[in-house]
Amino acid sequence: MSKMSDSFGRSFPYIRLSITDVCNFKCGYCLPNGYFKVENKPGFLNLDEISNLVAAFTELGVSKIRITGGEPTVRKDFFEVLKNIKSEHEISNLVITTNGYKLNEIAEELIATRINGINISIDSLDRNKFKEITGQDRLPQILEGINILQNKGFKNIKVNAVLLKNVNDSLEEFQNWERFINNNEIDFRYIELMQTGDNLEYFKKYHTSAFVFKKYIESQDWKEISRISDAGPSINYVHSKLKGKFGIIAPYSKDFCSTCNRLRITAKGELRLCLFGNTGTNLRPYLQNQNQKDELIELILKQLRFKKESHYLETGNTGMTPHLASIGG
Ligand code: SAM
Ligand code: SF4
């Protein structure tokens, strides 16, 4: 049971922890010109700092941690991060989000870390479109990686795509995904494109409501199912005759924030109460020593009182978030 709750009655059993801002893709909505190396001092949280952070959140009742980035798998000690969290802390649900660029090479090592799930971002099953959106011709390696994971019996693979107007919002694309999830028994979700500090032009050109996909799945007899407490923000659907689940993440929908159950930590140790908040709290000074845990817990609980009711994204507010690579999405 999470000991963290806010003034709006929401509780927080789920942390999204970014371990790097670096990414090797150039997704048009996120880092269209690629990652620019900036002065990186101090660097990203090290293994000890991550461990001290996770210890505090475990004590606060967090049961789910998602490791994200940038691209988390580019970090050299990526596997150590996962293994340490699994072996040193009682986190029942440790999952990652990745662009999967070398999933075929790392699938077996990933399984060995004993993580509980993986979200892979694939914006289209059409190789050319995939390349156009992400700037990388990596779809075959990702699909091969998924195959390896499945052949080894790894469960809980989810695929996410950002829904883009006139790019991947056609009937053909929807049907491709329907075949894919039925053949592979995988969950697939479309995320509605979000405006961030840097992507206004892209957003104006490509944003489309998740309603177009909702309309499709409801016409095909997919039925909405209910949500569990530490689940992500998607609305999920099952079909009586097909395998896999469809899902929709619609951040602009009414009430999206009322089910918020997660907090974010940036790769340099800032606590962010919202994906689009205006402030962050630097936890790093409290991560230097295991003995600082009580102070750290006190600070986190104090900050939670400032969590706002909504992201106010519909008013064009993007807070201090230039792109989602800076906060882990
Ligand atoms: N690099 C990893 C990846 O792409 O899976 C992890 C980090 S990425 C920021 C996390 C998720 O955010 C990805 O699924 C990505 O598609 C999504 N994302 C990035 N920018 C977005 C935006 N402007 N709107 C909606 N989703 C976005
Ligand atoms: Fe990189 Fe993920 Fe952003 Fe794409 S969405 S540029 S893979 S961080």
Side-chain angles (χ1 to χ4, degrees):
M1 193 54 193
S2 173
K3 293 178 191 151
M4 292 188 288
S5 55
D6 71 359
S7 341
F8 303 96
R10 299 173 293 196
S11 68
F12 301 93
Y14 173 14
I15 299 296
R16 292 183 68 108
L17 171 60
S18 173
I19 58 168
T20 180
D21 290 347
V22 179
C23 187
N24 52 351
F25 274 28
K26 297 180 178 175
C27 301
Y29 44 78
C30 184
L31 295 174
N33 303 310
Y35 173 76
F36 280 100
K37 196 169 176 351
V38 283
E39 175 71 23
N40 193 23
K41 281 195 192 110
F44 304 122
L45 293 182
N46 64 34
L47 291 173
D48 289 335
E49 290 169 317
I50 291 175
S51 184
N52 291 338
L53 182 80
V54 174
F57 278 116
T58 308
E59 196 155 319
L60 284 165
V62 163
S63 56
K64 175 173 177 181
I65 295 186
R66 175 171 303 284
I67 300 297
T68 175
E71 174 47 38
T73 64
V74 303
R75 195 169 144 152
K76 290 206 171 56
D77 56 2
F78 168 67
F79 291 108
E80 266 94 347
V81 172
L82 300 180
K83 282 184 201 147
N84 287 1
I85 295 179
K86 264 294 177 196
S87 62
E88 292 170 12
H89 305 281
E90 282 186 22
I91 294 293
S92 55
N93 200 356
L94 178 65
V95 293
I96 66 166
T97 296
T98 174
N99 64 29
Y101 79 102
K102 57 172 179 183
L103 195 56
N104 54 340
E105 289 168 31
I106 65 167
E108 297 198 17
E109 207 172 342
L110 255 184
I111 295 173
T113 64
R114 299 189 298 117
I115 55 166
N116 305 92
I118 175 167
N119 283 13
I120 305 160
S121 306
I122 306 179
D123 289 331
S124 175
L125 285 169
D126 174 319
R127 185 170 173 173
N128 290 329
K129 249 182 221 177
F130 180 93
K131 186 175 166 203
E132 208 178 289
I133 300 167
T134 63
Q136 293 283 357
D137 186 18
R138 283 278 178 168
L139 184 62
Q141 288 87 337
I142 301 170
L143 296 178
E144 191 192 330
I146 292 180
N147 251 325
I148 299 172
L149 287 178
Q150 291 206 304
N151 289 337
K152 301 265 170 200
F154 186 85
K155 296 272 180 259
N156 199 10
I157 304 173
K158 296 193 176 98
V159 172
N160 294 327
V162 179
L163 184 64
L164 302 168
K165 185 158 73 187
N166 298 331
V167 179
N168 63 3
D169 63 343
S170 64
L171 185 61
E172 191 189 343
E173 290 271 325
F174 298 164
Q175 287 170 340
N176 283 345
W177 283 117
E178 200 162 63
R179 258 192 309 278
F180 180 84
I181 65 170
N182 185 39
N183 291 340
N184 295 287
E185 212 170 338
I186 276 179
D187 299 354
F188 169 80
R189 294 91 59 89
Y190 268 120
I191 312 173
E192 202 173 294
L193 176 64
M194 289 176 258
Q195 185 190 336
T196 61
D198 284 356
N199 78 1
L200 182 60
E201 286 311 308
Y202 192 94
F203 177 81
K204 280 196 208 145
K205 188 163 172 203
Y206 293 112
H207 177 261
T208 183
S209 163
F211 187 70
V212 289
F213 183 56
K214 190 169 192 277
K215 220 166 88 187
Y216 171 74
I217 53 182
E218 289 183 350
S219 75
Q220 300 298 311
D221 249 6
W222 289 85
K223 298 274 178 288
E224 191 176 328
I225 53 172
S226 54
R227 217 172 155 264
I228 52 169
S229 77
D230 70 357
S234 66
I235 302 166
N236 298 309
Y237 295 79
V238 289
H239 197 286
S240 57
K241 299 202 182 72
L242 300 172
K243 286 181 277 179
K245 291 192 197 83
F246 265 146
I248 295 174
I249 301 177
Y252 289 92
S253 65
K254 195 170 129 305
D255 294 338
F256 180 76
C257 298
S258 64
T259 55
C260 182
N261 60 357
R262 70 216 78 116
L263 301 173
R264 295 177 162 82
I265 308 290
T266 69
K268 293 193 175 180
E270 261 190 37
L271 170 70
R272 299 279 180 89
L273 299 173
C274 175
L275 191 47
F276 297 102
N278 283 311
T279 52
T281 306
N282 187 9
L283 302 183
R284 201 160 198 178
Y286 301 86
L287 300 177
Q288 302 313 310
N289 189 311
Q290 289 177 358
N291 300 335
Q292 293 172 293
K293 189 162 72 179
D294 290 345
E295 271 178 287
L296 177 60
I297 287 178
E298 198 181 318
L299 176 64
I300 295 168
L301 289 175
K302 209 154 89 191
Q303 288 307 311
L304 256 182
R305 286 192 237 133
F306 298 107
K307 185 163 164 73
K308 297 204 169 72
E309 188 170 13
S310 162
H311 51 38
Y312 305 109
L313 200 55
E314 63 286 357
T315 63
N317 166 58
T318 58
M320 65 196 293
T321 305
H323 44 69
L324 297 196
S326 68
I327 184 170

